[in-house]
Amino acid sequence: METFQRLESEVRGYCRNWPVVFDKAVGSHVYDESGKAYLDFFAGAGSLNYGHNNPELKTSLIEYLTDDRIVHSLDAYSVAKRDFLKTFEEIVLKPRNLDYKVQFPGPAGNNAVEAALKLARKYTGRETIVNFTNGFHGMTLGALAVTGNSMKRGGAGVPLGHVATMPFDNYLDGRTPDFLWLRSLLDDSGSGLDKPAAVIVETVQGEGGINAASAQWLRELSDLCREYEILMIVDDIQMGCGRTGGFFSFEEAGITPDIVTLSKSISGYGLPMALTLFKRELDVWEPGEHNGTFRGFNPAMVTGAEALRRYWTDSSFADATRAKGHMVAARLAEIAAEHAEFGAHVRGRGLALGLAFEEADIAKRIAAESFDRGLLLETSGPEDEVAKLLPPLTISEEELTLGLDIMADAARAAVKVAQPA
């Protein structure tokens, strides 16, 4: 620990809640350097949907590297990129009737978001982006401007402008019809709202508290964007690649966004990779107008293509994820009912689920108690009031049951502290 404390920046975060040194990881388990096992309900913040060191993906990666195939290529053509693009088209895009161009903007989700915002502004000639309460889209300045969290925004050091924040689904508890405020501003020439270039939205707000938008709300948002000629960007960085069941989280709503951002599990193996997808007519980039040194990381394309072939050629993987999600949600509902006096309730969709409390410290204590019992999970929400579950999608039902048993015990221990004397 001394090495990290002496040399690593104070900005480090997760390690403060998990004060061990991790060494190995297989499937749904992570092991510290002493060999102690931890069941993983975190999955690299959604970057490991297919588990740690997935054997099929690892085999394809090792074979690629041992054959001295190209690793770094910027945006030069490569065999690995061609294979990924063709596989992505055949397995993901064509079956969903999506005619998207694919941009490799850089290695991380924030690169994909920055590209999406720039492209929307370039295409429309407008500046304003509509974002939503409790949304999270990244830590670079453009992505941070459309992020709601005040602590994260406060780290920017400069004003974050050219955005207009609107209420997310059910933010006002049904007291105001959906999009009444946004429509009123768009229709009123005296509202002060410049016509937006785009809206950016998560279908399930991961960092914002596992707030799931309804399919109807998403459809109405899509309709509004078409009506007012505003581009719709869906940020699917954490909720895409099967996290909610379908490959894209917006499939349930039956909508076709103009722009989609992907990262985290798109490489399948936890390797850095990001994509910005957009309708063909939006491809108005000049060559080199948006680039980055690590936008051509070929090993990620190799494992990404293999993951698509292994898990997405039919509906079985998506169906299994939905079934596991129903199982987890039912058990979380039982835990919530046990602690109803603390306002406990379940949020989320698919295998992106959360146990929320009125008192934020309870969720934090559940995470701490879970860690002590050998389970990794994080908290989310503006006050960290949600114990958040993002297990690998490949996790077994037995492992899910074990983790939920640990959570139930951790919740009982956590609420004891909150009980009145």
Side-chain angles (χ1 to χ4, degrees):
M1 294 298 182
E2 185 274 336
T3 300
F4 304 110
Q5 293 168 358
R6 177 167 49 89
L7 293 174
E8 192 176 3
S9 166
E10 292 300 314
V11 78
R12 62 192 187 275
Y14 290 113
C15 58
R16 299 180 187 276
N17 298 321
W18 302 333
V20 296
V21 179
F22 294 114
D23 185 30
K24 295 185 178 181
V26 179
S28 301
H29 284 85
V30 180
Y31 302 84
D32 68 19
E33 60 183 346
S34 73
K36 180 178 178 179
Y38 294 84
L39 183 57
D40 189 2
F41 273 20
F42 175 65
S47 296
L48 296 161
N49 283 2
Y50 312 106
H52 294 270
N53 286 302
N54 183 293
E56 290 86 2
L57 308 188
K58 180 166 63 176
T59 296
S60 65
L61 176 62
I62 290 172
E63 289 176 352
Y64 186 84
L65 294 175
T66 55
D67 199 28
D68 289 333
R69 309 290 288 280
I70 190 165
V71 169
H72 183 277
S73 63
L74 293 130
D75 71 353
Y77 300 139
S78 71
V79 171
K81 182 192 285 189
R82 180 174 60 198
D83 181 52
F84 174 81
L85 285 170
K86 292 176 68 174
T87 304
F88 189 73
E89 180 184 34
E90 291 299 321
I91 294 177
V92 176
L93 297 181
K94 283 186 175 180
R96 294 162 180 82
N97 295 314
L98 297 173
D99 188 22
Y100 287 144
K101 296 290 288 292
V102 180
Q103 180 179 355
F104 298 89
N110 63 289
N111 300 108
V113 170
E114 295 288 351
L117 299 179
K118 285 172 63 175
L119 181 61
R121 287 169 170 144
K122 177 180 173 64
Y123 181 81
T124 63
R126 307 176 210 137
E127 297 177 353
T128 301
I129 305 292
V130 171
N131 67 326
F132 292 93
T133 50
N134 291 315
F136 178 82
H137 301 284
M139 298 294 280
T140 47
L141 289 182
L144 196 56
V146 293
T147 288
N149 186 286
S150 60
M151 184 275 287
K152 292 179 170 61
R153 289 176 63 87
V158 297
L160 299 171
H162 306 295
V163 299
T165 303
M166 297 294 155
F168 191 71
D169 189 14
N170 206 38
Y171 184 77
L172 298 173
D173 297 323
R175 289 172 290 170
T176 302
D178 292 339
F179 309 114
L180 173 62
W181 178 238
L182 179 53
R183 283 185 178 276
S184 298
L185 293 177
L186 291 170
D187 288 335
D188 183 0
S189 61
S191 68
L193 175 64
D194 296 326
K195 185 174 182 179
V199 302
I200 185 167
V201 66
E202 302 158 275
T203 67
V204 181
Q205 295 181 325
E207 301 304 309
I210 312 296
N211 307 308
S214 69
Q216 179 180 347
W217 188 87
L218 290 168
R219 284 193 290 269
E220 290 180 9
L221 176 60
S222 177
D223 291 343
L224 181 148
C225 287
R226 281 198 303 272
E227 181 181 345
Y228 289 91
E229 297 182 320
I230 301 168
L231 298 179
M232 183 179 188
I233 304 169
V234 168
D235 181 340
D236 235 4
I237 288 167
Q238 188 166 94
M239 296 301 156
C241 303
R243 175 55 56 182
T244 64
F247 185 85
F248 295 108
S249 70
F250 55 81
E251 291 180 43
E252 178 183 275
I255 62 174
T256 302
D258 298 291
I259 304 175
V260 180
T261 60
L262 289 174
S263 187
K264 291 192 181 287
S265 278
I266 189 59
S267 80
Y269 201 74
L271 300 176
M273 183 178 182
L275 306 177
T276 305
L277 315 176
F278 38 84
K279 291 181 177 177
R280 191 165 294 272
E281 64 270 20
L282 302 184
D283 194 8
V284 294
W285 290 119
E286 296 293 333
E289 192 172 8
H290 185 91
N291 56 29
T293 302
F294 292 100
R295 65 192 184 278
F297 188 50
N298 287 265
M301 299 176 192
V302 171
T303 54
E306 188 64 25
L308 296 178
R309 288 190 287 263
R310 292 279 178 178
Y311 294 101
W312 293 102
T313 54
D314 58 33
S315 66
S316 58
F317 187 66
D319 292 341
T321 297
R322 293 187 186 98
K324 291 174 186 176
H326 293 320
M327 168 193 162
V328 174
R331 182 63 191 285
L332 287 178
E334 293 175 1
I335 299 173
E338 188 177 341
H339 307 294
E341 69 270 30
F342 298 99
H345 60 280
V346 182
R347 298 179 183 175
R349 182 156 63 91
L351 275 176
L353 292 161
L355 188 61
F357 293 84
E358 290 177 354
E359 182 184 326
D361 285 346
I362 295 178
K364 297 175 187 176
R365 289 196 292 270
I366 289 175
E369 294 283 351
S370 294
F371 174 76
D372 291 342
R373 291 163 170 77
L375 175 68
L376 302 181
L377 55 84
E378 66 171 333
T379 57
S380 73
E383 305 297 331
D384 287 318
E385 73 277 13
V386 183
K388 176 182 177 183
L389 290 75
L390 289 179
L393 306 184
T394 51
I395 194 170
S396 68
E397 291 189 4
E398 292 76 15
E399 289 169 326
L400 283 172
T401 298
L402 173 60
L404 290 164
D405 287 344
I406 293 173
M407 272 196 74
D409 288 340
R412 294 184 192 107
V415 300
K416 282 183 180 179
V417 181
Q419 295 279 8

